[in-house]
C-alpha cells in the first residue's frame, strides 16, 4: 500500500529521532505501537536497539509468546525482565494510582538494564491518542526520562496502524491490549488468583473465535466484553457452547455479559445482563 505524505513524513521524523538517540532500550509489550518503535529502532540502529519485555503475573502467556515471535521476526535482540507488581502493596491495592506504581517499578528495572548495557535512552510505545485516556503511567515515564518517540513524531493510533501495515508488521491490526490487572475494577484488590482466572477465561473466548476480548472480575463475577459487532454472536453461542459453566469452572461464581461491547475505560462501569 502507498502512504500519504503526512505518514511518510512522520516515519522519516521517527527514524531521524531514533538516529539521534544513538542507542535505545525499547520497552516492548508486543502491541502494535511498541512493535513499530522496535522495528524502526532496529532498522536504524541494529544491535544498538534492544527490546526488553517485562514478565509477570499481569502478562498473559499469549502476549509473551507474541513478543517472542515479533522480536524474532524483526531480528532485534530481545531480553526478559521478571517483575512482580503484586509484591507492591500500593499496586495490589488497585486504586487510581495503580498504573503509576506499575510503571515506576518497570522503568526502574529497565533503567538498571539500560545502564548495564550502556544504552543511551529508554523509549516506549506511547502515541498521541493515549493521552485521551486516564494513564497514570505517563507520569512515571516522565519521572524516569523515558521518551515516547511516536508522540514526538506526531503519531496517532490510526497512523501507527497504517505505517505498520505498510512496513509489513504482522500485528498491524491487532486489537488493543492491556495488562491483566486492568480487568480488576478499581477498589477491588488484585490477587494472583484473580489474574489467573481472568487469563484463562479470556483464552477460552479467544479459542471460540472472538477477537476483541475482556473478562472483568467483579469479585468473582465474570463480566464478558467482546467487540460490539461480536456481542450478538456471543449471546447466541453461550448456551450451545456451555461457556458459562466452563468459565465458572475456572473459579468464577457467575457470568454476565456486557451488551454494549468492549470500549476502553469501561472497567468501572456496569451495563450487564445476568445469565442466571
Amino acid at each position: 500500500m502507498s502512504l500519504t505524505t503526512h505518514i511518510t513524513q512522520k516515519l522519516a521524523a521517527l527514524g531521524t529521532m531514533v538516529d539521534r538517540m544513538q542507542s535505545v532500550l525499547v520497552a516492548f509489550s508486543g502491541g502494535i505501537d511498541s512493535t513499530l518503535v522496535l522495528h524502526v529502532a532496529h532498522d536504524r540502529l541494529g544491535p544498538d536497539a534492544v527490546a526488553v519485555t517485562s514478565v509477570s503475573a499481569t502478562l498473559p502467556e499469549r502476549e509473551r509468546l507474541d513478543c517472542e515471535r515479533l522480536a524474532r521476526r524483526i531480528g532485534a535482540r530481545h531480553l526478559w525482565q521478571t517483575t512482580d507488581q503484586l509484591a507492591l502493596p500500593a499496586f495490589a491495592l488497585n486504586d487510581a494510582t495503580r498504573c503509576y506504581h506499575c510503571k515506576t517499578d518497570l522503568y526502574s528495572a529497565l533503567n538498571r538494564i539500560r545502564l548495564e548495557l550502556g544504552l543511551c535512552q529508554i523509549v516506549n510505545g506511547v502515541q498521541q491518542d493515549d493521552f485521551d485516556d486516564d494513564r497514570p503511567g505517563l507520569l512515571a515515564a516522565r519521572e524516569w526520562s523515558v521518551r515516547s518517540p511516536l508522540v514526538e513524531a506526531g503519531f496517532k493510533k490510526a497512523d501507527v496502524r497504517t505505517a505498520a501495515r505498510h512496513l509489513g508488521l504482522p500485528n498491524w491490526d491487532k486489537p488493543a491490549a492491556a495488562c491483566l490487572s486492568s480487568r480488576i475494577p478499581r477498589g477491588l484488590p488484585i490477587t494472583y488468583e484473580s489474574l489467573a482466572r481472568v487469563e484463562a477465561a479470556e483464552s477460552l473466548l479467544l479459542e471460540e473465535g472472538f477477537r476483541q476480548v475482556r473478562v472483568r472480575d467483579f469479585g468473582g463475577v465474570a463480566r464478558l466484553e467482546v467487540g460490539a459487532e461480536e456481542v450478538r454472536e456471543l449471546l447466541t453461542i453461550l448456551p450451545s457452547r456451555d461457556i458459562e459453566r466452563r468459565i465458572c469452572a475456572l473459579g468464577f461464581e457467575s457470568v454476565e455479559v456486557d451488551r454494549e461491547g468492549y470500549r476502553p475505560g469501561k472497567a468501572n462501569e456496569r451495563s450487564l445482563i445476568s445469565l442466571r
Side-chain angles (χ1 to χ4, degrees), residues 174-265:
K174 179 180 179 179
C179 78
L180 291 172
S181 60
S182 68
R183 294 7 173 218
I184 316 300
R186 287 178 182 171
L188 295 179
I190 300 171
T191 66
Y192 297 104
E193 292 76 17
S194 61
L195 296 178
R197 66 190 180 200
V198 162
E199 179 178 5
E202 290 189 349
S203 295
L204 187 155
L205 292 178
L206 289 167
E207 290 167 3
E208 289 291 341
F210 295 98
R211 192 162 183 271
Q212 180 72 75
V213 169
R214 295 287 188 275
V215 176
R216 312 286 184 189
D217 188 343
F218 284 88
V221 177
R223 183 178 80 173
L224 312 186
E225 294 179 16
V226 295
E229 71 284 359
E230 299 177 304
V231 173
R232 184 186 295 268
E233 180 184 358
L234 175 60
L235 293 172
T236 299
I237 72 167
L238 275 168
S240 61
R241 301 293 295 174
D242 203 17
I243 289 176
E244 182 185 8
R245 183 196 61 78
R246 291 159 64 195
I247 290 179
C248 285
L250 300 173
F252 289 99
E253 297 173 5
S254 61
V255 178
E256 298 176 326
V257 176
D258 187 320
R259 290 178 291 179
E260 296 176 351
Y262 167 78
R263 172 170 57 78

Side-chain angles (χ1 to χ4, degrees), residues 100-120:
Y100 170 78
H101 298 296
C102 175
K103 294 299 185 184
T104 296
D105 183 58
L106 170 64
Y107 291 137
S108 63
L110 295 187
N111 194 54
R112 289 193 295 270
I113 297 174
R114 180 189 69 82
L115 293 172
E116 291 170 3
L117 298 178
L119 302 173
C120 295

Side-chain angles (χ1 to χ4, degrees), residues 9 37 51 75-76 91 94 102 117 129 162 170-171 173 177-178 222 243 250 268:
Q9 291 172 340
V37 172
F91 174 88
N94 195 22
C102 175
L117 298 178
D129 287 339
T162 299
N171 61 342
D173 63 343
I243 289 176
L250 300 173
N268 297 307

